[in-house]
Amino acid sequence: MNFQRLGPSGQEIPVVQHDGTTFDLRPLTADLDGTFWASEGIARTRAALDGGELAELPDADSLRVGAPVARPAKIVCVGLNYRDHAAETGAALPAEPVVFMKDPMTVVGPYDDVLVPRGSTKTDWEVELAVVVGKTIRYAESPEQALRHVAGYAVSHDVSERAFQLERGGQWDKGKSCETFNPLGPSLVPADEVGDPQSLALRLWVNGVLRQDGSTANMIFPVAHVLWYLSQFMVLYPGDVINTGTPAGVALGLPDHPYLRAGDVVELEVAGLGRARQTLVAA
């Protein structure tokens, strides 16, 4: 079972895919938002499927795929969270998670175009495991407790403009928050169907060339620890998205720094969560 939002931008329909069929979720919810996740939306969906209460959505295959969560209240990101990525960028392993925020308005669908910002020379790719919060996490008592509050997981593309991020002073946010800089999806897969979030393969291709080939097993700070840690500094609400870092293979760490240009095509996947594809176009 996985959750998607289908239709034109701003008019997406919440759906669930089960056994190869796409079912309309509008009898249960207007959207896949924080209210849905917090109100046992996943359990209610399973009960509705078991009871035959949901109708198949006709022509689902012809509809645009949007991000699998409605606009999150916040996106929290963890930088330098893979040992091999820290090594390729010449950074020391952090003693604590490196935390930054990303504008929630950057979220777009998994097959939507990504805009290369005006004046950009160093737009970079980053495949990541996204965590979607299902229940409020406030001062979690342990990493294990925090992990129990996850609704599910999705593929995230944490697009970055390295010059804006690293060479223009201030914090990282302005290199991370450009328009369309967070394609998300295609699906949200419930946490209990994913299993161990530290055993997932991540891959990314640029113009058909494999650039990133890693595993969440290589995280410095596992998902459970990240959630526990963040909850000591901020409240994580249902529907919030946590980008958990990227493995080695980004343009910043490659010898020839092959940054993205208009016309490039990026494909990315996380095992069990689906595959996404974006074309770069000029802003």
Side-chain angles (χ1 to χ4, degrees):
M1 182 176 76
N2 62 72
F3 294 86
Q4 291 189 338
R5 297 167 67 246
L6 305 180
S9 179
Q11 303 176 45
E12 292 90 348
I13 297 168
V15 304
V16 61
Q17 293 184 331
H18 180 65
D19 289 341
T21 301
T22 300
F23 295 94
D24 191 335
L25 270 179
R26 284 176 292 183
L28 294 185
T29 183
D31 211 341
L32 300 180
D33 54 15
T35 299
F36 174 75
W37 308 118
S39 62
E40 303 296 336
I42 294 174
R44 291 190 292 115
T45 299
R46 287 189 174 126
L49 286 170
D50 290 343
E53 301 170 18
L54 300 177
E56 182 177 352
L57 183 70
D59 301 320
D61 291 344
S62 67
L63 297 176
R64 167 187 171 270
V65 180
V69 296
R71 188 75 65 194
K74 61 178 173 288
I75 303 173
V76 189
C77 304
V78 181
L80 298 173
N81 196 30
Y82 282 72
R83 293 173 179 85
D84 53 358
H85 177 52
E88 74 174 345
T89 59
L93 297 185
E96 297 188 34
V98 176
V99 178
F100 61 93
M101 309 294 285
K102 189 160 188 164
D103 182 359
M105 296 298 289
T106 58
V107 171
V108 294
Y111 310 114
D112 292 345
D113 291 340
V114 169
L115 301 180
V116 178
R118 295 179 184 180
S120 169
T121 59
K122 297 183 179 180
T123 295
D124 206 347
W125 58 80
E126 293 188 23
V127 58
E128 304 204 6
L129 173 67
V131 180
V132 179
V133 177
K135 296 181 180 179
T136 300
I137 310 177
R138 178 178 180 272
Y139 295 116
E141 295 179 1
S142 67
E144 293 73 24
Q145 182 196 48
L147 194 63
R148 292 196 292 270
H149 288 63
V150 171
Y153 301 95
V155 180
S156 184
H157 189 182
D158 179 21
V159 187
S160 308
E161 213 298 336
R162 302 301 189 186
F164 297 176
Q165 175 190 355
L166 302 172
E167 301 171 19
R168 297 292 297 273
Q171 300 184 5
W172 286 8
D173 300 44
K174 61 180 174 286
K176 297 284 189 172
S177 293
C178 302
E179 186 179 9
T180 73
F181 263 27
N182 205 138
L184 190 66
S187 303
L188 179 143
V189 180
D192 61 357
E193 297 191 16
V194 171
D196 182 5
Q198 304 310 141
S199 62
L200 304 175
L202 307 89
R203 297 182 181 89
L204 181 145
W205 296 259
V206 179
N207 300 326
V209 177
L210 181 63
R211 292 297 193 180
Q212 291 185 275
D213 187 4
S215 169
T216 56
N218 200 32
M219 283 186 184
I220 299 168
F221 303 104
V223 170
H225 181 90
V226 166
L227 294 171
W228 166 82
Y229 180 87
L230 292 175
S231 78
Q232 310 307 306
F233 302 97
M234 65 185 78
V235 180
L236 301 176
Y237 293 102
D240 284 352
V241 172
I242 316 300
N243 286 336
T244 55
T246 198
V250 299
L252 177 66
L254 294 173
D256 54 345
H257 304 308
Y259 291 110
L260 295 168
R261 299 287 185 267
D264 288 341
V265 175
V266 177
E267 297 173 274
L268 59 155
E269 66 181 16
V270 178
L273 304 183
R275 186 168 176 135
R277 182 183 189 274
Q278 297 108 39
T279 299
L280 279 290
V281 301

